[in-house]
C-alpha cells in the first residue's frame, strides 16, 4: 500500500468518524413542516408527504392531516394515525397521506425518569420537563421531544374532522370538530414536543407543549387536550 493511499484511507476513516459523531449529537433534533397560525388563517394545504419520512429510523412524530381530516401519531417508526368515519375513530397505519402540520424527531436513545404523582396538569408537566431536561444537559431553548408512558388518571382528547365549508377557525372549534372524549385510568403512550419558542407554530399560544397519544390497547389515538397523570408514569427524554 502506497503512502498516498494510506493517507486517503486515514482521511476517509476520520471523515466517517466525524459524521458518526455529528449524527449522534443530533439525537432528538426536532424538525417540522407547517404552522398552527397558517391553519388558523384557513390554509389547510399539505406541507409534507408522510411517505418521505417512512424510511427514517427511530421516528417519532405528531401532527394533522391536510384539510384537518385526522391526527398523526408515529411511535418509533410505526404509524397510529386516526381519522373519523361513521362517527368512529378509524386507524391508518400507512404513510400514504399528507400533513398540513407535522413535528418530528429521530430518537435512538431515551433516558427514563420516574414522574412524581403531583403532575396533574399541563402547567406542572411543562415545569417538570424543563427541570429534568436541564438536569440532563439538554438545551431547553431548543425544542425537545418527549414520551410519557403509564397511567392517565384523566386524558381529554379529540380527533379532528374539519368541515370543508367552515372557514372560521378557533382552537375550541378544532377540539369540538370530529370526535372527542375522556379516557380515565387508562394505560397510554404519549408523544410530545416541548418548546418555549414555537407558540402558534407547533404549540398553541397558551402552552409550551403539543401532545398526541394512543392507548396501550390501540383502541383510541389522537390529540391530547388535557392531561392528569396517575401513579408510576415515566417521562422519557432524549439522551444528549
Amino acid at each position: 500500500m502506497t503512502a498516498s493511499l494510506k493517507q486517503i484511507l486515514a482521511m476517509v476513516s476520520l471523515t466517517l468518524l466525524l459524521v458518526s459523531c455529528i449524527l449522534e449529537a443530533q439525537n432528538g433534533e426536532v424538525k417540522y413542516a407547517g404552522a398552527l397560525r397558517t391553519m388558523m388563517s384557513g390554509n389547510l394545504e399539505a406541507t409534507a408527504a408522510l411517505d418521505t419520512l417512512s424510511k427514517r429510523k427511530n421516528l417519532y412524530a405528531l401532527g394533522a392531516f391536510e384539510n384537518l381530516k385526522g391526527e398523526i401519531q408515529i411511535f418509533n417508526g410505526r404509524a397510529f394515525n386516526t381519522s373519523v368515519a361513521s362517527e368512529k375513530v378509524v386507524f391508518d397505519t400507512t404513510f400514504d397521506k399528507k400533513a398540513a402540520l407535522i413535528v418530528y424527531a429521530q430518537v435512538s436513545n431515551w433516558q427514563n425518569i420516574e414522574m412524581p404523582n403531583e403532575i396533574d396538569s399541563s402547567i406542572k408537566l411543562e415545569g417538570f420537563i424543563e427541570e429534568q431536561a436541564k438536569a440532563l444537559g439538554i438545551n431547553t431553548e431548543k425544542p425537545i421531544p418527549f414520551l410519557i408512558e403509564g397511567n392517565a388518571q384523566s386524558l381529554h382528547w379529540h380527533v379532528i374532522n374539519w368541515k370543508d365549508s367552515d372557514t372560521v377557525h378557533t382552537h375550541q372549534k378544532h377540539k369540538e370538530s370530529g370526535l372527542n372524549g375522556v379516557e380515565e385510568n387508562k394505560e397510554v403512550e404519549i408523544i410530545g414536543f416541548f418548546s418555549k419558542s414555537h407558540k402558534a407554530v407547533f404549540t398553541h399560544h397558551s402552552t409550551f407543549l403539543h401532545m398526541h397519544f394512543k392507548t396501550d390497547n390501540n383502541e383510541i389515538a389522537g390529540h391530547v387536550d388535557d392531561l392528569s397523570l396517575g401513579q408510576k408514569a415515566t417521562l422519557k427524554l432524549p439522551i444528549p
Side-chain angles (χ1 to χ4, degrees), residues 180-209:
N180 56 75
V182 182
E183 302 300 308
E184 296 182 339
N185 195 29
K186 290 285 183 69
E187 295 297 312
V188 299
E189 185 172 4
I190 295 169
I191 167 67
F193 292 88
F194 169 96
S195 178
K196 297 189 291 184
S197 56
H198 288 85
K199 286 185 175 181
V201 180
F202 60 75
T203 74
H204 289 286
H205 67 279
S206 61
T207 179
F208 295 151
L209 304 177

Side-chain angles (χ1 to χ4, degrees), residues 115 118-129 209:
M115 302 186 70
E118 59 266 22
I119 304 297
D120 57 2
S121 70
S122 295
I123 295 296
K124 290 182 180 179
L125 180 57
E126 284 180 2
F128 185 72
I129 289 172
L209 304 177

Side-chain angles (χ1 to χ4, degrees), residues 3-35:
S4 59
L5 182 56
K6 287 182 179 179
Q7 290 176 338
I8 292 172
L9 291 174
M11 291 177 63
V12 169
S13 298
L14 179 59
T15 301
L16 291 174
L17 179 61
L18 290 172
V19 169
S20 176
C21 291
I22 291 170
L23 291 174
E24 189 173 317
Q26 292 177 338
N27 182 54
E29 180 184 3
V30 175
K31 299 181 180 180
Y32 64 92

Side-chain angles (χ1 to χ4, degrees), residues 23-144:
L23 291 174
E24 189 173 317
Q26 292 177 338
N27 182 54
E29 180 184 3
V30 175
K31 299 181 180 180
Y32 64 92
L36 287 169
R37 65 167 68 96
T38 302
M39 295 192 300
M40 299 301 281
S41 72
N43 185 347
L44 310 180
E45 295 179 356
T47 61
L50 294 187
D51 62 6
T52 62
L53 303 176
S54 63
K55 302 300 182 183
R56 295 180 183 241
K57 294 181 179 180
N58 311 120
L59 179 69
Y60 295 83
L62 58 76
F65 287 138
E66 63 179 328
N67 300 316
L68 298 185
K69 295 298 185 181
E71 310 287 346
I72 297 168
Q73 296 82 218
I74 300 173
F75 293 87
N76 200 17
R78 295 184 62 192
F80 296 88
N81 303 326
T82 46
S83 57
V84 178
S86 302
E87 298 301 313
K88 293 182 179 180
V89 173
V90 178
F91 277 83
D92 181 353
T93 59
T94 73
F95 285 75
D96 294 341
K97 291 186 172 64
K98 295 179 180 179
L101 170 69
I102 188 164
V103 192
Y104 63 95
Q106 292 173 260
V107 186
S108 57
N109 296 297
W110 296 94
Q111 174 70 50
N112 291 355
I113 302 162
E114 185 176 344
M115 302 186 70
N117 296 336
E118 59 266 22
I119 304 297
D120 57 2
S121 70
S122 295
I123 295 296
K124 290 182 180 179
L125 180 57
E126 284 180 2
F128 185 72
I129 289 172
E130 184 170 15
E131 173 187 284
Q132 296 301 315
K134 287 180 178 178
L136 287 174
I138 298 172
N139 184 355
T140 59
E141 298 306 314
K142 292 184 177 182
I144 303 168

